[in-house]
Amino acid sequence: MKITDIFKKKSSSDVAKDRLKFVLVSDRANCSPDLMKKIRSDIIEVLSKYAEIDMDGIDISLTQMDTEENGKTVPALYANIPIKNMNHNSK
Amino acid sequence: MGEVIVVTSGKGGVGKTTTTANLGTGLAKLNKKVVLIDTDIGLRNLDVVMGLENRIVYNLVDVIEENCKLKQALIKDKRYPTLFLLPAAQTKDKTSVTPEQMKGLTDELKQEYDYIILDCPAGIEQGFKNAIAGADKALVVTTPEVSAVRDADRIIGLLEANEVKDPQLIVNRLRPDMIKRGDMMSADDVVDILAVDLIGQIPDDENIVVSTNNGEPLVGDNSQAGQAYMNICRRVTGENVPFLDLDVKKGLFGWLRRK
């Protein structure tokens, strides 16, 4: 990504940029960390009906996605949920 | 017909008032007719930065409440005859003025002056709403710090929601040495994050403190900040010329890099 990535320690300006990108995504979407937590647990609850989920590997977060029109970005929900086993005889 | 420009930031202490004073003085240097309005009712500051604090008789609230004529409240600058200041009231609060009244005032001033520049208070409450009510365009001032950039993003969102389109960004207090070390975000980094057009980058310059001490904006002098502010003024006047901004910006950036 950047030359600075070669070195182990990130420069503080890169840290600032990364932190800002994250905080602005949730600011812009008007989505509090609390709400994210609820969305996360609801998604897990629903999916658990159909599959056994690897709880340690779950990554659910709000990110930004480029739209096709004039380079604007919109918030997007990113979810990476590893499945251990499918529950074929679901309740 | 003049243009109404609001200088805003969200966060306090990033250089709104200094920017307003230098922008106004610089535009007057370019022979434009300019009115500066301090909309920070209760916490006026633009008068001392301009060095006009001893000349105040009437203020913004007096004009709105029709205690005086508009012309009576406008204070002529010490050095530039086409530059005027309408100071904020010190003893009232921000609810003494409504957005509709502010729009009426700026619409009237637009008839006679080339630029009406509003110094917006920090925050997003009534004072902010008053300041942006009549604005044709907005300059958002920020510094390369996470708190200031975050607030700038919020302000940009609010400006767009209030139909003040395409705000332009001024990144203030840049320290090229720290940027080089990787310990400060560059203006480009900030532009990247906020996704708005850059109209200026001001280096952190101790001459600003001296100029504020003296009550004489330094725009156009030999200092780094003075030149950076003058470049912003030229961009403000020349904004209808395509690609001019970009070239000037590149030049300035190269100059910042070389430091």
Side-chain angles (χ1 to χ4, degrees):
Chain A
M1 179 178 125
K2 285 256 165 70
I3 304 168
T4 42
D5 287 0
I6 298 166
F7 307 104
K8 258 189 184 163
K9 198 164 171 275
K10 258 185 172 177
S11 75
S12 71
S13 67
D14 283 332
V15 174
K17 272 185 270 177
D18 290 347
R19 289 178 56 215
L20 264 170
K21 278 175 191 159
F22 264 102
V23 75
L24 291 189
V25 166
S26 54
D27 279 2
R28 285 171 189 169
N30 200 8
C31 174
S32 68
D34 220 38
L35 183 61
M36 257 329 281
K37 231 183 246 172
K38 278 187 192 153
I39 294 174
R40 187 188 151 98
S41 64
D42 282 358
I43 289 175
I44 292 171
E45 196 189 314
V46 170
L47 286 177
S48 296
K49 283 203 240 171
Y50 306 99
E52 192 188 336
I53 293 165
D54 174 9
M55 296 299 261
D56 296 329
I58 294 176
D59 180 10
I60 299 172
S61 59
L62 215 51
T63 63
Q64 269 184 319
M65 203 175 68
D66 295 326
T67 55
E68 307 211 331
E69 38 164 344
N70 57 39
K72 293 230 170 180
T73 55
V74 292
L77 188 73
Y78 168 87
N80 185 10
I81 305 167
I83 291 168
K84 282 181 179 164
N85 267 310
M86 286 307 286
N87 258 343
H88 289 293
N89 45 349
S90 59
K91 311 155 225 176
Chain B
M1 188 76 148
E3 190 173 34
V4 181
I5 302 172
V6 59
V7 178
T8 181
S9 71
K11 188 176 178 296
V14 297
K16 281 182 300 294
T17 303
T18 307
T19 297
T20 306
N22 280 286
L23 196 60
T25 307
L27 287 167
K29 270 190 174 186
L30 298 171
N31 297 318
K32 303 290 180 191
K33 289 183 78 179
V34 185
V35 177
L36 305 179
I37 306 179
D38 188 348
T39 65
D40 200 349
I41 298 167
L43 288 170
R44 75 172 169 218
N45 271 323
L46 188 55
D47 53 337
V48 283
V49 176
M50 296 295 295
L52 299 171
E53 68 273 19
N54 292 328
R55 305 186 184 193
I56 297 176
V57 181
Y58 297 110
N59 58 54
L60 173 60
V61 176
D62 288 325
V63 174
I64 296 293
E65 291 177 350
E66 296 183 351
N67 297 331
C68 68
K69 293 217 171 73
L70 176 54
K71 279 270 148 75
Q72 288 178 296
L74 294 178
I75 305 163
K76 192 187 272 188
D77 186 60
K78 288 183 288 190
R79 298 180 292 173
Y80 298 96
T82 61
L83 177 60
F84 297 86
L85 169 70
L86 180 53
Q90 187 70 311
T91 52
K92 306 272 176 145
D93 67 57
K94 284 165 182 105
T95 55
S96 330
V97 178
T98 66
E100 293 72 29
Q101 288 170 326
M102 276 304 295
K103 187 169 185 330
L105 176 65
T106 50
D107 283 352
E108 188 181 340
L109 286 165
K110 260 161 104 164
Q111 306 299 324
E112 203 177 323
Y113 295 88
D114 299 317
Y115 293 98
I116 295 94
I117 305 172
L118 298 129
D119 185 17
C120 181
I124 54 175
E125 292 86 24
Q126 174 95 35
F128 170 74
K129 286 172 190 150
N130 285 342
I132 66 167
D136 298 312
K137 79 182 227 183
L139 300 183
V140 177
V141 184
T142 189
T143 58
E145 292 157 68
V146 284
S147 51
V149 175
R150 183 191 198 176
D151 286 0
D153 187 73
R154 183 106 168 80
I155 286 293
I156 289 163
L158 288 171
L159 286 167
E160 280 167 353
N162 285 280
E163 307 286 303
V164 186
K165 302 278 183 226
D166 300 324
Q168 291 175 298
L169 190 72
I170 295 174
V171 185
N172 195 14
R173 299 218 191 100
L174 288 159
R175 299 223 355 221
D177 54 327
M178 290 189 73
I179 295 169
K180 212 180 271 175
R181 282 209 302 272
D183 278 334
M184 183 180 272
M185 287 183 282
S186 67
D188 284 358
D189 291 336
V190 179
V191 166
D192 229 28
I193 289 165
L194 294 177
V196 287
D197 288 336
L198 185 70
I199 193 170
Q201 35 189 359
I202 314 294
D204 189 24
D205 188 339
E206 57 184 39
N207 289 300
I208 288 283
V209 179
V210 178
S211 98
T212 309
N213 288 345
N214 293 328
E216 287 183 359
L218 51 59
V219 59
D221 75 1
N222 289 328
S223 69
Q224 292 186 357
Q227 290 179 17
Y229 272 123
M230 203 62 213
N231 283 334
I232 295 178
C233 294
R234 292 189 200 284
R235 285 179 201 128
V236 166
T237 61
E239 96 181 315
N240 291 330
V241 185
F243 304 116
L244 183 74
D245 276 8
L246 198 70
D247 286 335
V248 183
K249 232 154 40 197
K250 267 185 186 161
L252 181 63
F253 198 66
W255 162 77
L256 274 173
R257 277 266 163 85
R258 260 182 274 128
K259 296 309 299 179

